[in-house]
Amino acid sequence: MLYGLVSEALGLRSDHLASIECFESLRWVGNYYPPCPQPELALGAGRHIDPYFLTVLVQDNIGALQALHENHWVTVPPLEGALIVNMGVFMQLISNDRFKGVEHRVVATGVGPRLSSAVFFRPSKNYKNKPYGPVKELLSPNNPPLYKETGVLDFLACYAKRGADVNSVLPDFRI
């Protein structure tokens, strides 16, 4: 499973993130962007970082997804059969900044319509008040926790209030 690969990339057992209920629920979103007659004047979706642990995205052959890399917007070229995996803000919190939330946007195009499909991996609503913080196995005297524990509902409320910019959300949870 995908969560096994992410757990292993963090240096954890392959079932670790599943065992702490990070991937108990999925949310699916389908996006439709009609062709834009003046794409230079519009955005398909503004810059943001997804709030949950992980997002898996399938985009069509038109593309238009861009990721922020070293303060420059880079177009993510569509590749047939490929999945795009973005880390979310909550993954940044529990990984103690080992993984960074991916800031991205969708630019408008005159070509279209554009379709994409995203699946967000998140805890179950049964765990909405469960405290999540930096994974203890990732911490050490040389790598102390950067964030306090928070429940998913509190985190999402802050995300909704502050906006989807990681620089405006995570400071509220810094120790």
Side-chain angles (χ1 to χ4, degrees):
M1 270 328 287
L2 182 61
Y3 59 80
L5 295 173
V6 176
S7 291
E8 290 173 3
L10 285 167
L12 303 168
R13 294 182 337 268
S14 63
D15 66 341
H16 189 85
L17 293 179
S19 74
I20 60 172
E21 293 99 15
C22 292
F23 298 101
E24 292 291 306
S25 179
L26 302 175
R27 178 175 176 230
W28 174 80
V29 173
N31 298 301
Y32 171 81
Y33 302 93
C36 181
Q38 294 181 291
E40 67 281 358
L41 300 178
L43 273 176
R47 66 189 292 169
H48 67 284
I49 299 174
D50 299 330
Y52 302 112
F53 293 108
L54 202 64
T55 303
V56 177
L57 177 75
V58 176
Q59 63 175 337
D60 64 12
N61 62 345
I62 292 172
L65 175 66
Q66 294 184 333
L68 190 62
H69 179 68
E70 297 179 354
N71 293 319
H72 298 310
W73 289 106
V74 177
T75 299
V76 179
L79 183 61
E80 189 173 332
L83 299 174
I84 297 164
V85 179
N86 287 338
M87 297 296 161
V89 179
F90 216 67
M91 180 63 80
Q92 184 168 338
L93 183 142
I94 70 162
S95 73
N96 208 43
D97 280 355
R98 187 171 294 177
F99 286 153
K100 303 288 185 177
V102 177
E103 190 166 357
H104 56 284
R105 68 182 185 182
V106 177
V107 295
T109 70
V111 182
R114 179 183 182 272
L115 302 169
S116 70
S117 180
V119 175
F120 302 96
F121 288 81
R122 60 188 190 169
S124 164
K125 290 183 181 179
N126 297 333
Y127 303 113
K128 61 188 173 189
N129 293 315
K130 175 186 174 173
Y132 284 93
V135 174
K136 308 245 183 296
E137 289 80 355
L138 300 177
L139 303 176
S140 70
N142 294 332
N143 186 34
L146 300 174
Y147 304 103
K148 60 186 175 185
E149 290 186 339
T150 183
V152 174
L153 281 185
D154 290 339
F155 183 83
L156 292 175
C158 180
Y159 181 92
K161 178 180 163 188
R162 301 255 189 225
D165 176 8
V166 70
N167 297 316
S168 68
V169 175
L170 286 178
D172 281 13
F173 301 97
R174 280 219 178 256
I175 292 178

